[in-house]
Amino acid sequence: MAGLSIAESLNSPTALGGPWKVYGSARRSIPTWFPSSLLHSYISFDAASLPDTRRKLSPLSAEITHLFWVAIQVRETEEQNILVNQTMLSNVLHVLTSGSGSRLRHVTLQTGTKHYMGPFDRVLPLSQTLSLPFREDTPRLPCPNFYYAQEDLLASHSPPLAYSVHRSSIIIGASTRSFYNFLLTVAVYAAICKHEGLPFRFPGTRYAWEHFVDMTDARVLAEQQIWAAATSRAKNEAFNCTNGDVFMWKTLWKALCDVFGVEFVPFDENEEFDVVVAMEGKGKVWDEIVREHGLERTKMEEITCFGAVRYVLSFGFQHVSSMTKSREYGFFGYADTLKCIRLWVNRLRNMKFIP
């Protein structure tokens, strides 16, 4: 989601620091839906392998000036997350900074609000550790977090390398490859409900239904990352990144019902509902929907994250981030969350990801 919007934003004639020559990279080959015209070139390599990283990136070490890091691998434990994600970033930095002609001068690192909440499997009760709204100067939590390891790695390269950290909320964008893709998951859930005549029930708690949360349009995130890369005052700083508004899920859920063409069902806490259990075995139903509507051939298990959706919609706190620091430093990007939901759903449809 973030990579597509970054590539589009860098190609804008009004992009700060431009004109940009954009290289895209990932472990797998470029997907058919990604506009190759946005890229000067695409490099497929395994960042967890130093030999492969050196082989593929060394020829570019005298050309790359900015690195926009949005890569992520998710493993079973946070210790494993730390190892693989720190290794990937370390390998790329090593290759792009070790050559005599290296030109790399800035890295933008995308993380998220798990910086403040901790990993999904953490034991500490959130109510005892959270400080709201999330602010960039909040002390780190006393638990393992691969975001911390990545930030520390960048700091160890500075100077001469500058960096910026971007802590997004729930990202709204378009992709079939993002590990945590909330909007696409909810869209698939809605399509299956509509196809089978099932109620499109809110898969969360009463607290989440009635309290505030925020989101991040992938375009706003890209805009902030490019701004930080081209703004000297933003060097070596961390910034929250949200749309700048907040909403309640009961309001957004009605809007989603309208967008997806399903009937709104009021929340009823007396009815137990687990979206993970409800969607088990629905892969064949999604296959039918894909065939019926001529969509891109995808597997439900690969493009959805029902466990993450259940987690996010069960927060017992208001998930809101302060954007004050960004504004103080000169970034004023924003988006209307309800409008951007509609925009991205329409784009997902145009890309033939959902019906």
Side-chain angles (χ1 to χ4, degrees):
M1 294 179 289
L4 174 60
S5 288
I6 290 171
E8 290 178 336
S9 297
L10 288 171
N11 276 275
S12 169
T14 60
L16 292 176
W20 296 84
K21 184 178 183 179
V22 185
Y23 289 88
S25 63
R27 183 168 51 87
R28 292 180 287 183
S29 59
I30 188 170
T32 56
W33 53 262
F34 194 101
S36 58
S37 60
L38 295 175
L39 305 175
H40 175 76
S41 181
Y42 183 86
I43 308 130
S44 177
F45 71 99
D46 181 5
S49 165
L50 182 56
D52 194 41
T53 303
R54 182 182 292 114
R55 183 166 52 252
K56 301 294 180 58
L57 293 191
S58 288
L60 299 175
S61 62
E63 188 174 355
I64 302 301
T65 59
H66 294 74
L67 173 64
F68 295 86
W69 188 263
V70 297
I72 183 175
Q73 286 198 36
V74 179
R75 301 292 171 83
E76 291 185 1
T77 69
E78 193 62 16
E79 287 75 17
Q80 292 173 329
N81 286 336
I82 291 172
L83 177 61
V84 67
N85 286 284
Q86 188 177 36
T87 297
M88 289 194 298
L89 181 55
S90 178
N91 286 343
V92 171
L93 291 177
H94 175 75
V95 171
L96 293 182
T97 60
S98 59
S100 58
S102 172
R103 297 178 60 204
L104 184 66
R105 60 177 184 264
H106 187 93
V107 179
T108 65
L109 171 66
Q110 179 184 307
T111 61
T113 53
K114 282 197 292 183
H115 180 95
Y116 308 109
M117 301 184 301
F120 287 170
D121 62 352
R122 61 173 295 210
V123 177
L124 296 176
L126 287 171
S127 60
Q128 295 181 15
T129 58
L130 282 183
S131 176
L132 297 170
F134 300 137
R135 295 177 60 89
E136 293 89 342
D137 58 0
T138 301
R140 289 181 175 181
L141 296 171
C143 60
N145 193 320
F146 81 86
Y147 289 164
Y148 301 164
Q150 289 181 313
E151 287 192 15
D152 292 343
L153 176 62
L154 289 182
S156 72
H157 283 264
S158 177
L161 194 64
Y163 64 92
S164 57
V165 179
H166 305 265
R167 300 170 185 163
S168 65
S169 180
I170 303 165
I171 301 175
I172 301 300
S175 170
T176 61
R177 291 192 173 181
S178 301
F179 195 88
Y180 295 123
N181 194 327
F182 187 94
L183 183 60
L184 182 56
T185 301
V186 173
V188 169
Y189 168 46
I192 290 174
C193 289
K194 189 173 184 178
H195 185 79
E196 293 198 310
L198 301 173
F200 182 56
R201 300 174 59 179
F202 178 71
T205 62
R206 168 69 68 182
Y207 187 95
W209 181 253
E210 296 179 340
H211 288 81
F212 288 128
V213 69
D214 53 23
M215 285 187 172
T216 304
D217 189 308
R219 297 168 301 171
V220 175
L221 181 57
E223 183 183 348
Q224 189 195 61
Q225 292 183 343
I226 297 170
W227 162 79
T231 303
S232 58
R233 191 185 179 199
K235 298 295 186 290
N236 303 337
E237 296 286 347
F239 299 97
N240 291 333
C241 186
T242 73
N243 292 341
D245 60 3
V246 295
F247 57 89
M248 293 182 180
W249 276 113
K250 63 182 179 181
T251 302
L252 185 62
W253 206 252
K254 288 182 179 180
L256 288 173
C257 289
D258 182 52
V259 170
F260 295 132
V262 294
E263 182 181 353
F264 174 73
V265 179
F267 178 77
D268 185 352
E269 61 186 341
N270 294 319
E271 295 183 12
E272 293 187 7
F273 178 67
D274 187 330
V275 69
V276 175
V277 175
M279 290 296 106
E280 285 180 356
K282 296 294 186 182
K284 292 183 178 180
V285 178
W286 178 247
D287 292 342
E288 293 175 6
I289 294 172
V290 168
R291 290 193 299 269
E292 182 178 312
H293 295 273
L295 304 179
E296 287 276 335
R297 295 182 63 183
T298 57
K299 291 296 181 182
M300 186 190 79
E301 297 78 10
E302 296 178 351
I303 65 172
T304 57
C305 54
F306 291 109
V309 167
R310 179 179 61 185
Y311 177 80
V312 168
L313 298 182
S314 298
F315 287 158
F317 56 90
Q318 303 199 75
H319 185 279
V320 291
S321 300
S322 170
M323 286 296 289
T324 299
K325 181 178 178 180
S326 275
R327 297 187 182 108
E328 288 179 340
Y329 276 70
F331 178 75
F332 303 102
Y334 70 93
D336 182 314
T337 296
L338 293 180
K339 289 182 179 179
C340 81
I341 288 281
R342 292 180 179 275
L343 179 147
W344 284 112
V345 168
N346 286 334
R347 186 155 185 187
L348 288 170
R349 285 171 171 157
N350 291 337
M351 296 169 78
K352 307 296 287 185
F353 291 169
I354 61 174

